[in-house]
C-alpha cells in the first residue's frame, strides 16, 4: 500500500516525504509528537507572539538550492540574526568583531588589535579562536585567550557538560573572531525567517495527496525489525524506510544509549514591551542558563508584553526531556558506529538528519542532506 515509510516528521522527514510524494510515490509519515516540524515547531502564544517551542531556530544558508526549495512552501520575512554576549556585565556583539573590540578594550588597545588583525587575516573572514591562538603575535594570543575565557570556556562547559578538551573542534569552530565590523551572527547569502513560521512551512510541504501522516504514533506500534526484514502493520514491508529518529531506539538500545545533551526550556512573560537589546543574549558566565531569546525581536509582534526563553543545559534522559544535541566524545562516536554497522544489514533503511546520523546539522544542512539522499536513492 505504501512505497515509502518515513519515521519522524521533522525537517528531514518532511523534506523526504514531500520529495517522494511529488515523484509519485505513496508515503506513510509516522510522528510520535502531536505536531509536525520537529524541533523547528513554532506556535503563537498567549501574548500573540510566534515562539519556537524547542528553542531558537534561525534560518540561514549559502545553498541556493535549499533557499529555492523552501521558497516553494513559504514567503519570507527578511531577517538578520544578532547575538550579544554578556562580558563583565556588559552585552557586546558576537561573533567577536571590531565593534566588540572597542566595547571591551580601551581605545588604544582596541585600535592596536584591530590593526594587527587586519595585517594578519583577510578582511571579512571568520577566524576560529583556536586558530587565532596559534598566531606568533603575542597581542593576538592575548585576544584569543580573552575570547576563550570570556565567551567560549564557561558557556561550552555548561552547554555540553564536558571539559574543554572533550569538546569537538567542530563546536569550537563556531566561536570565531570576525575581521570587520559586521554584527550579524551569520554571514550566509540567504538569511530570513519563514513569514508564517516553520510549522506552516512544513504543513504546506506535507499538503500532498500521496502523503498519509500519522501523528501521536510511536513507530514501535506499527513497525518492527526481524533479522534483516521490516514488518509494517505485521506484514513484510519491502519498500524504502527513511529513519530520522535516534538510531539506538531503532535497535532497542542493544548497544546501550547514545548520549545527547538536552535543555530545560523556561518560557516567561515579561510585563514590558521589550526585554533586551538583541534577539538572543548569551550569558557565558555566572548563570545556570546559557542564553535568553526574546521572540518578538525575531518575529515582530504588537503586544504590550514580551515572551522570553531561558535555556538551561542538562543531560538527556529518555522519556523525560528532548535529545537536542549529539555529544561528540570518542565513546559516543564508537557507540554510534556499532548501531551504524547494524543498520548496514538492512538494504532499504536510510538514516537522515541530526538524530539518525548523529551530526550537528543546521536546518539548511538537514535540507541539503535530505535533497541529496533523495537524489541518490533515485539515481
Ligand atoms: N558558544 C560559546 N559561547 C557563545 C556562543 C556559542 O562558547 O557565546 C559555543 C558553544 O560551545 C555552543 C556552540 O558554540 O554550543 C554553538 O553555539 P550556537 O549558539 O551558535 O549554536 P546552537 O546552540 O544555536 O546550535
Amino acid at each position: 500500500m505504501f512505497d515509502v515509510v518515513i519515521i519522524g516528521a521533522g525537517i528531514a522527514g518532511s523534506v523526504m516525504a514531500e520529495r517522494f510524494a511529488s515523484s509519485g510515490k505513496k508515503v506513510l509519515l509516522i510522528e510520535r509528537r502531536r505536531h509536525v516540524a520537529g524541533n523547528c515547531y513554532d506556535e503563537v502564544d498567549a501574548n500573540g507572539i510566534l515562539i519556537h517551542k524547542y528553542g531558537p531556530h534561525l534560518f540561514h544558508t549559502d545553498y541556493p538550492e535549499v533557499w529555492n526549495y523552501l521558497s516553494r512552501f513559504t514567503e519570507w520575512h527578511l531577517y538578520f540574526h544578532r547575538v550579544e554576549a554578556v562580558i563583565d556585565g556588559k552585552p557586546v556583539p558576537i561573533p567577536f568583531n571590531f565593534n566588540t573590540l572597542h566595547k571591551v578594550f580601551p581605545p588604544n588597545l582596541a585600535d592596536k588589535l584591530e590593526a594587527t588583525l587586519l595585517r594578519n587575516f583577510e578582511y571579512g573572514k571568520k577566524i576560529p579562536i583556536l586558530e587565532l591562538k596559534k598566531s606568533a603575535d603575542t597581542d593576538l594570543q592575548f585576544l584569543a585567550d580573552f575570547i576563550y575565557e570570556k565567551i567560549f570556556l564557561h558557556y561550552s562547559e555548561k552547554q555540553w557538560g564536558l571539559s574543554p578538551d572533550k569538546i569537538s573542534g567542530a563546536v569550537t569552530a563556531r566561536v570565531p573572531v570576525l575581521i570587520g565590523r559586521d554584527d550579524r551572527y551569520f554571514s550566509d547569502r540567504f538569511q530570513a525567517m519563514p513569514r508564517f513560521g516553520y510549522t506552516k512551512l512544513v504543513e504546506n510541504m506535507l499538503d500532498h495527496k500521496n502523503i498519509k501522516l500519522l501523528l501521536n504514533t510511536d513507530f514501535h506500534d506499527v513497525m518492527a525489525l526481524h533479522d534483516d526484514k521490516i514488518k509494517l502493520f505485521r506484514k513484510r514491508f519491502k519498500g524504502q524506510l527513511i529513519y530520522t529518529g535516534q538510531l539506538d531506539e531503532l535497535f532497542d538500545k542493544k548497544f546501550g544509549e547514545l548520549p545527547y545533551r538536552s535543555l530545560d526550556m523556561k518560557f516567561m512573560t515579561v510585563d514590558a514591551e521589550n526585554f533586551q537589546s538583541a534577539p538572543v543574549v548569551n550569558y557565558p558566565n555566572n548563570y545556570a542558563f546559557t542564553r535568553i531569546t526574546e521572540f518578538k525581536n525575531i518575529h515582530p509582534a504588537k503586544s504590550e508584553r514580551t515572551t522570553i526563553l531561558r535555556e538551561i543545559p542538562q543531560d538527556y534522559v529518555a522519556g523525560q526531556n528532548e535529545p537536542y544535541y549529539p555529544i561528540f566524545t570518542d565513546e559516543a562516536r564508537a557507540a554510534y558506529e556499532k548501531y551504524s554497522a547494524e543498520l548496514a544489514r538492512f538494504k532499504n533503511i536510510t538514516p537522515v538528519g541530526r538524530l539518525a546520523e548523529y551530526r550537528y546539522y543546521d536546518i539548511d544542512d538537514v535540507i541539503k542532506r535530505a535533497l541529496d539522499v533523495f537524489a541518490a536513492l533515485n539515481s
Side-chain angles (χ1 to χ4, degrees), residues 33-197:
R33 289 175 176 164
R34 60 168 182 84
H35 61 75
V36 296
N39 290 346
C40 284
Y41 175 78
D42 48 20
E43 63 183 19
V44 176
D45 74 355
N47 299 324
I49 297 166
L50 189 63
I51 58 158
H52 301 179
K53 207 64 204 264
Y54 304 93
H57 283 73
L58 291 313
F59 183 74
H60 55 99
T61 190
D62 271 328
Y63 300 119
E65 65 269 41
V66 169
W67 174 259
N68 292 337
Y69 174 72
L70 289 185
S71 299
R72 292 162 44 189
F73 308 104
T74 187
E75 291 173 28
W76 296 101
H77 157 56
L78 295 189
Y79 167 82
F80 293 129
H81 191 48
R82 282 189 310 112
V83 179
E84 293 176 344
V86 176
I87 296 186
D88 299 333
K90 196 160 77 176
V92 297
I94 57 166
F96 205 99
N97 63 62
F98 293 176
N99 291 329
T100 324
L101 274 181
H102 287 272
K103 287 212 158 90
V104 299
F105 297 124
N108 285 349
L109 178 56
D111 284 342
K112 190 172 171 221
L113 287 167
E114 186 174 320
T116 313
L117 283 169
L118 272 173
R119 250 199 332 276
N120 283 271
F121 300 103
E122 193 181 328
Y123 180 83
K125 280 268 169 328
K126 283 183 171 169
I127 315 298
I129 48 168
L130 293 186
E131 192 182 324
L132 191 68
K133 173 85 179 141
K134 287 187 208 138
S135 157
D137 187 293
T138 50
D139 285 343
L140 293 187
Q141 285 173 15
F142 157 80
L143 180 62
D145 287 342
F146 181 88
I147 299 172
Y148 185 88
E149 168 67 26
K150 302 281 185 179
I151 295 182
F152 172 74
L153 180 61
H154 307 290
Y155 187 107
S156 295
E157 279 178 340
K158 61 182 163 178
Q159 170 74 5
W160 296 98
L162 295 170
S163 58
D165 55 306
K166 293 233 166 69
I167 296 169
S168 133
V171 172
T172 35
R174 286 180 176 238
V175 187
V177 176
L178 178 111
I179 312 301
R181 284 187 187 281
D182 190 348
D183 280 344
R184 297 176 307 165
Y185 195 60
F186 305 112
S187 40
D188 302 44
R189 179 167 159 210
F190 303 99
Q191 305 189 33
M193 297 299 292
R195 182 175 288 278
F196 308 106

Side-chain angles (χ1 to χ4, degrees), residues 173-273:
R174 286 180 176 238
V175 187
V177 176
L178 178 111
I179 312 301
R181 284 187 187 281
D182 190 348
D183 280 344
R184 297 176 307 165
Y185 195 60
F186 305 112
S187 40
D188 302 44
R189 179 167 159 210
F190 303 99
Q191 305 189 33
M193 297 299 292
R195 182 175 288 278
F196 308 106
Y198 291 101
T199 309
K200 189 73 202 145
L201 184 162
V202 171
E203 283 170 358
N204 289 342
M205 232 177 222
L206 299 179
D207 182 15
H208 196 292
K209 65 176 175 25
N210 288 348
I211 299 176
K212 166 88 183 142
L213 171 65
L214 283 183
L215 291 175
N216 302 305
T217 307
D218 194 306
F219 76 86
H220 293 102
D221 296 339
V222 296
M223 204 203 86
L225 302 183
H226 289 293
D227 303 325
D228 57 353
K229 297 179 185 63
I230 303 170
K231 287 252 172 98
L232 182 69
F233 302 117
R234 301 204 178 147
K235 291 204 187 101
R236 175 89 188 268
F237 176 70
K238 292 187 176 171
Q240 223 2 280
L241 178 77
I242 306 294
Y243 184 74
T244 72
Q246 292 148 258
L247 216 44
D248 54 0
E249 285 198 354
L250 191 59
F251 297 108
D252 300 324
K253 305 193 174 169
K254 67 188 209 185
F255 303 123
E257 292 199 351
L258 289 175
Y260 295 87
R261 194 68 173 154
S262 187
L263 298 164
D264 182 11
M265 302 285 179
K266 295 244 183 268
F267 284 90
M268 208 177 107
T269 294
V270 178
D271 209 1
E273 232 172 290

